[in-house]
Amino acid sequence: MESRNEIEHDRKNHSLNSGSKTVVSFDLENVFSLPRANVSNFFYKHKINAYNLTAHCSSNGKAYCALWHELLSGRAANQIASAM
């Protein structure tokens, strides 16, 4: 909750009209296990993990998304930076 408050504070203090500063907030969403099924035996079979990194830019109001699976890369700091 504190991070959400800080993002809102930064957005209010650095309006879109100022043009001098841009706030970019990132969020790595929960890991998605694919494929998905509600069958109990299937749950324990090997699945592939998918990662979703989203970013919101205050200067243009747009959101950006990077989506990859574990065979391409993991979710360590350097791997997330490469996704950007």
Side-chain angles (χ1 to χ4, degrees):
M1 189 65 181
E2 287 183 34
S3 61
R4 171 68 71 190
N5 292 338
E6 287 298 319
I7 290 170
E8 290 303 320
H9 176 265
D10 291 342
R11 285 182 181 161
K12 288 177 185 174
N13 289 337
H14 307 294
S15 66
L16 295 176
N17 298 328
S18 69
S20 62
K21 295 183 181 178
T22 299
V23 176
V24 181
S25 55
F26 295 93
D27 180 30
L28 180 63
E29 293 186 316
N30 289 337
V31 175
F32 301 106
S33 294
L34 300 174
R36 294 187 65 171
N38 291 329
V39 179
S40 61
N41 289 340
F42 184 75
F43 179 80
Y44 295 101
K45 301 289 184 188
H46 180 69
K47 298 179 183 180
I48 188 168
N49 291 324
Y51 308 107
N52 182 16
L53 177 69
T54 57
H56 182 267
C57 183
S58 68
S59 63
N60 60 10
K62 292 185 178 182
Y64 301 92
C65 178
L67 181 66
W68 69 96
H69 57 81
E70 65 184 345
L71 298 177
L72 291 175
S73 186
R75 59 179 173 177
N78 287 341
Q79 295 163 332
I80 291 172
S82 295
M84 289 188 272

